[in-house]
Amino acid sequence: MHTDEDSCIELAGRIARGDLMLGLLPLEAADEVAAGLSAAGRAGSARAWRELGLAYLAIDGDRLPPVGWAADLPFPDGVDDTGGRALRCFAEAARLGDRDGALMFAASTREASAAAQEAARELLRPHADADPAAGYAYGLLEQWLGRPGAAIEHHLRAAGQGDADAAFELYALFSTGEGVERDEAEGQRWLAVAAELGQDRALYNVGAAHATGANGYPLDMTMAVDFYTRAARAGNSRAAATLGVMHLTGEGVAEDRDQAREWFETADDLGHPVDEWLAHLGLRRP
């Protein structure tokens, strides 16, 4: 039997990879993971709570039973499904002062109740000023709670500390006038900052602007391909699919069906619905 925390975490990883369903682990392994990690969590291990939360997200709830939580948290979200159980685990880690647990909890509340989001704000508050990722997450919570104006200061601070996602969020807010006076020039400035910091959606948007000559960017297909490539390498599935189409049709680049195929495979791996998109464009995968 696995009793220590490290062994339980390793076992949870095996279950997540499918070893339980394949019969490579006994069915009681799930009970062992839940019991071992929750015991370590109640003994003060934020890491154990985080890993148990991730396990709930990765493993069918019927195979990983609920556990007894330590904290009485002030939100009504239930724990009868894997998402609710993961939320509770991340909250437990955050209550122990764990920054990563607070970030995981905040991210998991996007579709949760306003009470859960308010709880996430309180758990993030100790980290938000000095930690750019936490500051960005705090700003998102303000937006989800319907207070985009209150989000601006947190995104500004986080972007100033080098957070690329916060810079891209400022681009979106200034461009739409949500929570702030609309200022397209300021929005474009933040888009450039986000792209410089390597934010994948910003890189894609700058590539699209060069491809069309929009928003003051010069029409330059070489630059468009460069930004699309950087965006795809940063994980942007649409940029990878766009590069595939460009190489398939010879638009802006030399026609190269092998390159097109490789970019479509990359887009597949990144989760883009390539075949559906190609059908919409009247194209077929090479």
Side-chain angles (χ1 to χ4, degrees):
M1 293 290 287
H2 299 73
T3 56
D4 64 278
E5 183 179 333
D6 288 339
S7 294
C8 284
I9 289 173
E10 180 183 357
L11 190 59
R14 290 188 60 191
I15 295 173
R17 290 192 297 271
D19 286 1
L20 189 70
M21 294 184 66
L22 293 172
L24 300 176
L25 287 172
L27 293 177
E28 58 267 24
D31 293 329
E32 191 177 331
V33 166
L37 291 182
S38 61
R42 286 192 294 273
S45 172
R47 173 175 173 248
W49 283 125
R50 290 199 314 269
E51 294 295 333
L52 183 56
L54 292 172
Y56 276 123
L57 292 180
I59 303 170
D60 188 325
D62 291 338
R63 294 185 174 85
L64 190 64
V67 298
W69 285 271
D72 182 18
L73 295 172
F75 59 88
D77 301 70
V79 291
D80 293 331
D81 57 34
T82 53
R85 293 170 190 171
L87 190 70
R88 191 61 182 266
C89 289
F90 297 147
E92 293 282 1
R95 284 284 287 267
L96 292 170
D98 184 64
R99 172 259 193 193
D100 290 340
L103 284 171
M104 291 175 179
F105 179 49
S108 299
T109 65
R110 179 160 194 166
E111 302 300 328
S113 67
Q117 292 167 354
E118 291 285 7
R121 285 177 70 249
E122 294 305 310
L123 291 168
L124 267 179
R125 193 184 301 277
H127 312 283
D129 288 345
D131 186 299
Y136 167 62
Y138 196 99
L140 286 182
L141 286 165
E142 294 284 23
Q143 289 175 240
W144 300 343
L145 286 162
R147 301 190 289 260
I152 293 292
E153 64 175 288
H154 300 288
H155 291 322
L156 284 170
R157 182 185 302 111
Q161 294 168 333
D163 190 275
D165 290 324
F168 186 80
E169 201 67 36
L170 288 167
Y171 152 69
L173 293 174
F174 278 106
S175 296
T176 61
E178 184 179 359
V180 67
E181 184 176 351
R182 186 175 181 182
D183 187 333
E184 292 190 10
E186 183 69 359
Q188 289 300 316
R189 187 178 77 82
W190 281 114
L191 177 65
V193 170
E196 182 67 25
L197 291 170
Q199 212 277 348
D200 69 288
R201 289 176 295 170
L203 290 166
Y204 174 85
N205 282 12
V206 174
H210 276 299
T212 59
N215 299 321
Y217 286 87
L219 180 62
D220 187 328
M221 295 306 294
T222 299
M223 291 293 292
V225 169
D226 177 63
F227 276 96
Y228 283 146
T229 301
R230 290 166 60 192
R233 289 174 178 166
N236 191 284
S237 65
R238 188 170 182 179
T242 299
L243 286 165
V245 168
M246 293 175 72
H247 283 288
L248 180 63
T249 62
E251 180 186 358
V253 293
E255 185 177 333
D256 187 329
R257 295 174 69 83
D258 290 335
Q259 280 287 320
R261 186 180 299 109
E262 290 180 14
W263 280 119
F264 288 142
E265 289 174 357
T266 298
D268 283 332
D269 292 341
L270 293 171
H272 195 82
V274 173
D275 292 314
E276 179 182 337
W277 194 51
L278 288 174
H280 178 73
L281 295 174
L283 299 171
R284 294 180 62 184
R285 188 191 293 253

